[in-house]
Coordinates of all heavy atoms in Angstrom, one line a residue:
M97 N -55.9 69.0 61.7 CA -54.7 68.3 61.3 C -53.5 69.2 60.9 O -53.7 69.9 60.0 CB -55.0 67.2 60.4 CG -56.0 66.2 60.8 SD -56.7 64.9 59.7 CE -55.5 64.7 58.4
T98 N -52.4 68.9 61.4 CA -51.2 69.7 61.0 C -50.5 69.2 59.8 O -49.7 69.9 59.2 CB -50.3 69.9 62.2 OG1 -49.9 68.6 62.6 CG2 -51.0 70.6 63.3
N99 N -50.6 67.9 59.5 CA -49.9 67.3 58.4 C -50.6 67.7 57.1 O -51.8 67.7 57.0 CB -50.0 65.8 58.6 CG -49.0 65.0 57.7 OD1 -48.5 65.6 56.7 ND2 -48.6 63.8 58.0
D100 N -49.8 67.9 56.1 CA -50.3 68.3 54.7 C -51.1 67.2 54.1 O -52.1 67.3 53.4 CB -49.3 68.8 53.8 CG -48.7 70.2 54.2 OD1 -49.4 70.8 55.0 OD2 -47.7 70.5 53.8
K101 N -50.6 65.9 54.4 CA -51.2 64.7 53.8 C -52.5 64.3 54.7 O -52.4 64.1 55.8 CB -50.3 63.6 53.8 CG -50.9 62.3 53.2 CD -50.0 61.2 53.2 CE -50.6 59.9 52.7 NZ -51.0 58.9 53.6
K102 N -53.7 64.3 54.0 CA -54.8 63.9 54.8 C -54.8 62.3 55.0 O -54.3 61.6 54.2 CB -56.1 64.2 54.0 CG -56.4 65.6 53.9 CD -57.8 65.8 53.2 CE -58.3 67.2 53.4 NZ -59.6 67.4 52.7
R103 N -55.3 62.0 56.1 CA -55.4 60.5 56.5 C -56.7 60.0 55.8 O -57.7 60.6 55.7 CB -55.4 60.3 58.0 CG -54.2 60.8 58.6 CD -53.0 60.0 58.2 NE -51.8 60.5 58.9 CZ -50.6 60.0 58.7 NH1 -50.4 59.0 57.8 NH2 -49.6 60.4 59.3
L104 N -56.5 58.7 55.4 CA -57.7 58.0 54.7 C -58.3 57.1 55.7 O -57.7 56.2 56.3 CB -57.2 57.3 53.4 CG -58.2 56.6 52.7 CD1 -59.3 57.6 52.1 CD2 -57.5 55.8 51.5
V105 N -59.7 57.2 55.8 CA -60.5 56.4 56.7 C -61.5 55.6 55.9 O -62.1 56.2 55.0 CB -61.1 57.2 57.8 CG1 -62.0 56.3 58.7 CG2 -60.1 58.0 58.6
L106 N -61.6 54.3 56.1 CA -62.6 53.5 55.5 C -63.7 53.3 56.6 O -63.4 52.8 57.6 CB -62.0 52.2 55.0 CG -63.0 51.1 54.5 CD1 -63.8 51.6 53.5 CD2 -62.2 49.9 54.2
V107 N -65.0 53.7 56.2 CA -66.1 53.4 57.0 C -67.0 52.4 56.4 O -67.4 52.6 55.3 CB -66.9 54.8 57.2 CG1 -68.1 54.5 58.1 CG2 -66.0 55.8 57.9
A108 N -67.2 51.3 57.2 CA -68.0 50.2 56.6 C -69.2 49.9 57.5 O -69.0 49.6 58.7 CB -67.2 48.9 56.4
D109 N -70.4 50.1 57.0 CA -71.6 49.9 57.8 C -72.7 49.6 56.8 O -72.9 50.3 55.8 CB -71.9 51.1 58.6 CG -72.8 50.8 59.8 OD1 -73.9 50.1 59.5 OD2 -72.6 51.1 61.0
D110 N -73.6 48.7 57.1 CA -74.7 48.4 56.3 C -75.9 49.4 56.5 O -76.9 49.4 55.7 CB -75.2 47.0 56.4 CG -75.6 46.6 57.7 OD1 -74.9 47.0 58.7 OD2 -76.6 45.8 58.0
D111 N -75.8 50.2 57.5 CA -76.8 51.2 57.8 C -76.4 52.5 57.1 O -75.4 53.2 57.6 CB -76.9 51.3 59.3 CG -78.0 52.4 59.8 OD1 -78.3 53.3 59.0 OD2 -78.4 52.2 60.9
S112 N -77.2 52.9 56.1 CA -76.8 54.1 55.3 C -76.8 55.4 56.2 O -75.8 56.2 56.0 CB -77.7 54.3 54.2 OG -79.0 54.5 54.7
S113 N -77.6 55.5 57.2 CA -77.5 56.7 58.0 C -76.3 56.8 58.9 O -75.8 57.8 59.1 CB -78.8 56.9 58.8 OG -79.0 55.8 59.7
M114 N -75.9 55.6 59.4 CA -74.7 55.6 60.2 C -73.4 55.9 59.3 O -72.6 56.6 59.8 CB -74.6 54.2 60.8 CG -73.4 54.1 61.8 SD -73.5 55.3 63.2 CE -74.8 54.6 64.1
R115 N -73.4 55.3 58.2 CA -72.3 55.6 57.3 C -72.2 57.1 57.0 O -71.1 57.7 57.0 CB -72.5 54.9 55.9 CG -72.1 53.5 55.8 CD -71.9 53.0 54.5 NE -73.1 53.4 53.5 CZ -74.2 52.7 53.4 NH1 -74.4 51.6 54.0 NH2 -75.1 53.1 52.5
E116 N -73.4 57.7 56.7 CA -73.4 59.1 56.5 C -73.0 60.0 57.6 O -72.1 60.9 57.5 CB -74.8 59.5 56.1 CG -75.0 61.0 55.6 CD -76.4 61.3 55.1 OE1 -77.0 60.4 54.6 OE2 -76.8 62.4 55.3
V117 N -73.4 59.7 58.8 CA -73.1 60.5 60.0 C -71.6 60.4 60.3 O -70.9 61.3 60.5 CB -73.9 60.0 61.2 CG1 -73.4 60.5 62.6 CG2 -75.4 60.4 61.1
V118 N -71.1 59.2 60.3 CA -69.6 59.0 60.6 C -68.8 59.6 59.5 O -67.8 60.3 59.8 CB -69.3 57.5 60.8 CG1 -67.9 57.2 61.0 CG2 -70.1 56.9 62.0
S119 N -69.1 59.3 58.3 CA -68.2 59.8 57.2 C -68.3 61.4 57.1 O -67.3 62.0 57.0 CB -68.6 59.2 55.9 OG -69.9 59.6 55.5
E120 N -69.5 62.0 57.4 CA -69.6 63.5 57.4 C -68.8 64.1 58.5 O -68.1 65.1 58.3 CB -71.0 63.9 57.4 CG -71.8 63.8 56.1 CD -73.2 64.2 56.2 OE1 -73.6 64.8 57.2 OE2 -73.9 64.1 55.1
H121 N -68.9 63.5 59.7 CA -68.1 64.0 60.8 C -66.5 63.9 60.5 O -65.8 64.9 60.7 CB -68.4 63.3 62.1 CG -67.5 63.7 63.2 ND1 -67.8 65.0 63.8 CD2 -66.6 63.2 63.9 CE1 -66.9 65.1 64.7 NE2 -66.1 64.1 64.8
L122 N -66.1 62.8 60.0 CA -64.7 62.6 59.7 C -64.2 63.6 58.6 O -63.2 64.2 58.8 CB -64.4 61.1 59.3 CG -64.5 60.1 60.4 CD1 -64.5 58.7 59.8 CD2 -63.3 60.3 61.4
Q123 N -65.0 63.8 57.6 CA -64.7 64.8 56.6 C -64.6 66.1 57.2 O -63.8 67.0 56.8 CB -65.7 64.7 55.5 CG -65.5 63.4 54.7 CD -66.6 63.3 53.6 OE1 -67.6 63.7 53.8 NE2 -66.3 62.4 52.6
S124 N -65.6 66.5 58.1 CA -65.6 67.8 58.7 C -64.3 68.2 59.5 O -64.0 69.3 59.7 CB -66.9 68.0 59.5 OG -66.8 67.4 60.8
V125 N -63.7 67.1 60.0 CA -62.5 67.4 60.8 C -61.2 67.1 59.9 O -60.1 67.0 60.5 CB -62.5 66.6 62.1 CG1 -63.5 67.2 63.0 CG2 -62.6 65.1 61.9
G126 N -61.3 66.9 58.6 CA -60.2 66.9 57.7 C -59.8 65.6 57.2 O -58.7 65.5 56.6
Y127 N -60.5 64.5 57.4 CA -60.2 63.2 56.9 C -60.7 63.0 55.4 O -61.8 63.5 55.1 CB -60.6 62.1 57.8 CG -59.9 62.1 59.1 CD1 -60.5 62.7 60.2 CD2 -58.7 61.5 59.2 CE1 -59.8 62.7 61.5 CE2 -58.0 61.4 60.5 CZ -58.6 62.1 61.6 OH -57.9 62.0 62.8
D128 N -60.0 62.2 54.7 CA -60.5 61.7 53.4 C -61.3 60.4 53.8 O -60.8 59.6 54.6 CB -59.5 61.4 52.4 CG -58.9 62.6 51.7 OD1 -59.7 63.6 51.6 OD2 -57.7 62.6 51.3
V129 N -62.4 60.2 53.3 CA -63.2 59.0 53.7 C -63.7 58.2 52.5 O -64.2 58.7 51.6 CB -64.4 59.4 54.5 CG1 -65.3 58.3 55.0 CG2 -64.1 60.3 55.7
L130 N -63.5 56.9 52.6 CA -64.2 55.9 51.7 C -65.3 55.2 52.5 O -65.2 55.0 53.7 CB -63.1 54.8 51.4 CG -61.9 55.3 50.6 CD1 -60.9 54.1 50.5 CD2 -62.3 55.7 49.2
V131 N -66.4 54.9 51.8 CA -67.5 54.2 52.4 C -67.8 52.9 51.7 O -67.7 52.7 50.5 CB -68.7 55.1 52.5 CG1 -68.6 56.2 53.4 CG2 -69.2 55.5 51.2
A132 N -68.2 51.9 52.6 CA -68.6 50.5 52.1 C -69.9 50.2 52.7 O -70.1 50.4 53.9 CB -67.5 49.6 52.4
E133 N -70.7 49.4 51.9 CA -72.0 49.0 52.4 C -72.1 47.6 53.0 O -73.0 47.3 53.7 CB -73.0 49.1 51.3 CG -73.2 50.4 50.6 CD -74.1 50.4 49.5 OE1 -74.7 49.4 49.1 OE2 -74.3 51.5 48.8
D134 N -70.9 46.9 52.8 CA -70.9 45.6 53.4 C -69.4 45.1 53.5 O -68.5 45.9 53.1 CB -71.7 44.6 52.6 CG -71.2 44.4 51.1 OD1 -70.0 44.4 50.9 OD2 -72.1 44.5 50.2
G135 N -69.2 44.0 54.1 CA -67.9 43.4 54.3 C -67.1 43.2 53.1 O -65.9 43.5 52.9
V136 N -67.8 42.7 52.0 CA -67.1 42.4 50.8 C -66.6 43.7 50.2 O -65.4 43.8 49.7 CB -68.0 41.6 49.8 CG1 -67.4 41.4 48.4 CG2 -68.4 40.3 50.4
Q137 N -67.4 44.7 50.1 CA -67.0 46.0 49.5 C -65.9 46.6 50.4 O -64.9 47.2 49.8 CB -68.2 46.9 49.5 CG -67.9 48.2 48.7 CD -69.1 49.1 48.6 OE1 -70.0 49.1 49.4 NE2 -69.2 49.9 47.6
A138 N -66.0 46.5 51.7 CA -64.9 47.0 52.6 C -63.5 46.3 52.3 O -62.6 47.1 52.3 CB -65.3 46.7 54.1
L139 N -63.6 45.0 52.2 CA -62.3 44.3 51.9 C -61.7 44.8 50.5 O -60.5 45.0 50.4 CB -62.5 42.9 51.8 CG -62.4 42.1 53.1 CD1 -62.8 40.7 53.0 CD2 -61.1 42.3 53.8
S140 N -62.6 45.0 49.5 CA -62.2 45.5 48.2 C -61.5 46.8 48.3 O -60.4 47.1 47.8 CB -63.3 45.4 47.2 OG -62.9 46.0 46.0
L141 N -62.2 47.8 49.0 CA -61.7 49.1 49.1 C -60.4 49.1 49.9 O -59.5 49.9 49.6 CB -62.7 50.0 49.7 CG -63.9 50.3 48.8 CD1 -65.0 51.0 49.6 CD2 -63.5 51.2 47.7
A142 N -60.3 48.3 51.0 CA -59.1 48.2 51.8 C -57.9 47.7 51.0 O -56.8 48.2 51.1 CB -59.4 47.4 53.1
R143 N -58.2 46.7 50.2 CA -57.0 46.2 49.4 C -56.6 47.1 48.3 O -55.4 47.3 48.0 CB -57.4 44.9 48.7 CG -57.6 43.8 49.7 CD -58.2 42.6 49.0 NE -58.2 41.4 49.9 CZ -59.3 40.4 49.9 NH1 -60.3 40.6 49.1 NH2 -59.2 39.5 50.8
R144 N -57.5 47.9 47.8 CA -57.2 48.9 46.7 C -56.5 50.2 47.2 O -55.6 50.8 46.6 CB -58.4 49.2 45.9 CG -58.2 49.8 44.6 CD -59.4 49.9 43.7 NE -60.5 49.0 44.0 CZ -61.7 49.2 44.2 NH1 -62.2 50.4 44.1 NH2 -62.6 48.3 44.5
H145 N -57.0 50.7 48.4 CA -56.7 52.0 48.8 C -55.8 52.1 50.0 O -55.2 53.1 50.4 CB -57.9 52.9 49.0 CG -58.7 53.1 47.8 ND1 -58.3 54.0 46.9 CD2 -59.8 52.5 47.4 CE1 -59.2 54.0 45.8 NE2 -60.1 53.0 46.2
R146 N -55.6 51.0 50.7 CA -54.8 50.9 51.9 C -55.0 52.0 53.0 O -54.1 52.9 53.1 CB -53.3 50.9 51.5 CG -53.0 49.9 50.6 CD -52.8 48.5 51.0 NE -51.7 48.5 52.1 CZ -51.3 47.4 52.6 NH1 -51.8 46.3 52.3 NH2 -50.4 47.5 53.6
P147 N -56.2 52.1 53.5 CA -56.6 53.2 54.4 C -55.7 53.2 55.6 O -55.2 52.2 56.1 CB -58.0 53.0 54.7 CG -58.2 51.5 54.5 CD -57.4 51.1 53.4
D148 N -55.6 54.4 56.3 CA -54.9 54.5 57.5 C -55.7 53.9 58.7 O -55.0 53.4 59.6 CB -54.5 55.9 57.8 CG -53.7 56.5 56.7 OD1 -52.5 56.1 56.6 OD2 -54.1 57.4 56.0
V149 N -57.0 54.0 58.7 CA -57.9 53.6 59.7 C -59.0 53.0 59.1 O -59.6 53.5 58.1 CB -58.3 54.7 60.6 CG1 -59.3 54.3 61.7 CG2 -57.0 55.4 61.3
V150 N -59.6 51.9 59.7 CA -60.9 51.3 59.3 C -61.8 51.3 60.4 O -61.5 50.9 61.5 CB -60.7 49.9 58.7 CG1 -61.9 49.2 58.3 CG2 -59.6 49.9 57.6
V151 N -63.0 51.8 60.1 CA -64.2 51.8 61.1 C -65.1 50.8 60.6 O -65.7 51.0 59.6 CB -64.8 53.2 61.3 CG1 -66.0 53.2 62.2 CG2 -63.7 54.2 61.7
L152 N -65.3 49.7 61.4 CA -66.2 48.6 60.9 C -67.4 48.4 61.8 O -67.3 48.3 63.0 CB -65.4 47.3 60.9 CG -64.2 47.3 59.9 CD1 -63.4 46.1 60.3 CD2 -64.8 47.1 58.5
D153 N -68.6 48.2 61.2 CA -69.7 47.7 61.8 C -69.5 46.2 62.1 O -69.0 45.4 61.1 CB -70.9 47.9 61.0 CG -72.2 47.3 61.6 OD1 -72.2 47.0 62.8 OD2 -73.2 47.2 60.8
V154 N -69.8 45.6 63.2 CA -69.5 44.2 63.4 C -70.5 43.3 62.7 O -70.1 42.3 62.1 CB -69.7 44.0 65.0 CG1 -69.5 42.4 65.2 CG2 -68.5 44.7 65.7
M155 N -71.8 43.7 62.6 CA -72.8 42.9 62.0 C -73.1 43.5 60.6 O -74.0 44.3 60.5 CB -74.0 42.7 62.9 CG -73.7 42.0 64.1 SD -75.0 42.0 65.4 CE -76.3 41.1 64.4
M156 N -72.5 42.9 59.6 CA -72.8 43.3 58.2 C -73.2 42.1 57.4 O -72.7 41.0 57.7 CB -71.6 44.0 57.5 CG -71.3 45.4 58.1 SD -70.0 46.3 57.3 CE -68.6 45.3 57.7
P157 N -73.9 42.3 56.3 CA -74.2 41.1 55.4 C -72.9 40.7 54.7 O -72.1 41.4 54.6 CB -75.3 41.7 54.4 CG -75.2 43.2 54.5 CD -74.5 43.5 55.8
Q158 N -73.0 39.4 54.3 CA -72.0 38.8 53.5 C -70.7 38.4 54.3 O -70.3 37.3 54.5 CB -71.6 39.6 52.2 CG -72.8 39.7 51.3 CD -72.4 40.4 50.0 OE1 -71.3 40.1 49.4 NE2 -73.3 41.2 49.6
T159 N -70.1 39.5 54.8 CA -68.8 39.3 55.6 C -68.9 40.2 56.8 O -69.1 41.4 56.6 CB -67.6 39.6 54.7 OG1 -67.6 38.9 53.6 CG2 -66.3 39.4 55.5
S160 N -68.8 39.6 58.0 CA -68.9 40.5 59.2 C -67.7 41.4 59.4 O -66.6 41.2 58.7 CB -69.0 39.6 60.5 OG -67.7 39.0 60.7
G161 N -67.9 42.4 60.1 CA -66.7 43.3 60.5 C -65.5 42.6 61.1 O -64.4 42.9 60.9
W162 N -65.9 41.6 62.0 CA -64.8 40.8 62.5 C -64.0 40.0 61.4 O -62.7 40.0 61.5 CB -65.4 39.7 63.5 CG -66.0 40.2 64.7 CD1 -67.4 40.2 65.0 CD2 -65.5 41.0 65.8 NE1 -67.7 40.8 66.1 CE2 -66.5 41.3 66.7 CE3 -64.2 41.4 66.0 CZ2 -66.3 42.1 67.8 CZ3 -63.9 42.1 67.2 CH2 -64.9 42.4 68.1
E163 N -64.6 39.5 60.5 CA -63.9 38.8 59.4 C -63.2 39.7 58.6 O -62.0 39.4 58.2 CB -64.9 37.9 58.6 CG -64.3 37.1 57.6 CD -63.4 36.1 58.1 OE1 -63.6 35.6 59.2 OE2 -62.3 35.7 57.5
V164 N -63.7 40.9 58.3 CA -62.9 41.9 57.6 C -61.7 42.3 58.3 O -60.6 42.3 57.7 CB -63.8 43.2 57.3 CG1 -63.0 44.3 56.7 CG2 -65.0 42.9 56.4
C165 N -61.8 42.5 59.6 CA -60.7 42.9 60.5 C -59.6 41.8 60.4 O -58.4 42.1 60.2 CB -61.1 43.1 61.8 SG -59.8 43.8 62.9
R166 N -60.0 40.5 60.6 CA -59.1 39.5 60.5 C -58.3 39.4 59.2 O -57.2 39.1 59.1 CB -59.8 38.1 60.7 CG -59.8 37.6 62.2 CD -60.4 36.2 62.3 NE -61.4 36.3 63.3 CZ -62.7 36.3 63.0 NH1 -63.2 36.2 61.8 NH2 -63.6 36.4 64.0
T167 N -59.1 39.5 58.1 CA -58.5 39.4 56.8 C -57.5 40.6 56.5 O -56.4 40.3 56.0 CB -59.7 39.4 55.7 OG1 -60.5 38.3 55.9 CG2 -59.0 39.3 54.3
I168 N -57.8 41.7 56.9 CA -57.0 42.8 56.7 C -55.7 42.6 57.5 O -54.6 42.9 57.0 CB -57.6 44.1 57.1 CG1 -58.7 44.5 56.1 CG2 -56.6 45.3 57.2 CD1 -59.6 45.7 56.5
R169 N -55.7 42.2 58.8 CA -54.6 41.9 59.5 C -53.7 40.9 58.9 O -52.4 40.9 58.9 CB -55.0 41.6 60.9 CG -55.5 42.7 61.8 CD -55.9 42.2 63.1 NE -55.9 43.2 64.0 CZ -55.7 43.2 65.3 NH1 -55.3 42.1 65.8 NH2 -55.7 44.3 66.1
E170 N -54.4 39.9 58.4 CA -53.6 38.7 57.8 C -52.9 39.1 56.5 O -51.7 38.7 56.2 CB -54.5 37.5 57.4 CG -55.0 36.8 58.6 CD -56.1 35.7 58.3 OE1 -56.4 35.6 57.2 OE2 -56.5 35.1 59.3
E171 N -53.4 40.0 55.8 CA -52.9 40.5 54.5 C -51.9 41.6 54.7 O -51.0 41.9 53.9 CB -54.0 41.0 53.6 CG -54.9 39.8 53.1 CD -56.0 40.2 52.2 OE1 -56.1 41.4 51.8 OE2 -56.8 39.3 51.8

């Protein structure tokens, strides 16, 4: 990345190994990464930190990735 400011990515997945693989790869290429274990936590982190990109698992407990995406877009 040529920009001095790192981009912030939120990775939300209920599968811990998937969260780890995706977040480690993103960090290795220069991104700052937040991780969430479910949709509720993803929404909380998105509201608090305003990430540049959100990577969502579609099927998560409590709130699906689809609902998280809809809520972020609405807000």
Side-chain angles (χ1 to χ4, degrees):
M97 292 174 25
T98 58
N99 191 342
D100 289 342
K101 180 186 180 255
K102 286 187 175 184
R103 298 295 182 183
L104 182 61
V105 179
L106 170 58
V107 176
D109 197 313
D110 58 322
D111 181 334
S112 62
S113 60
M114 185 60 74
R115 280 194 315 272
E116 186 176 329
V117 167
V118 173
S119 63
E120 283 181 7
H121 177 71
L122 289 168
Q123 289 171 338
S124 76
V125 294
Y127 292 94
D128 285 332
V129 179
L130 297 169
V131 294
E133 298 178 3
D134 59 45
V136 172
Q137 189 178 28
L139 278 174
S140 176
L141 288 170
R143 289 172 175 143
R144 197 171 335 132
H145 297 282
R146 310 280 301 185
D148 298 295
V149 175
V150 180
V151 179
L152 295 166
D153 179 14
V154 174
M155 295 175 59
M156 291 186 289
Q158 299 184 42
T159 304
S160 73
W162 293 116
E163 187 59 35
V164 172
C165 184
R166 264 189 236 102
T167 302
I168 290 172
R169 285 178 162 211
E170 288 172 1
E171 293 178 0

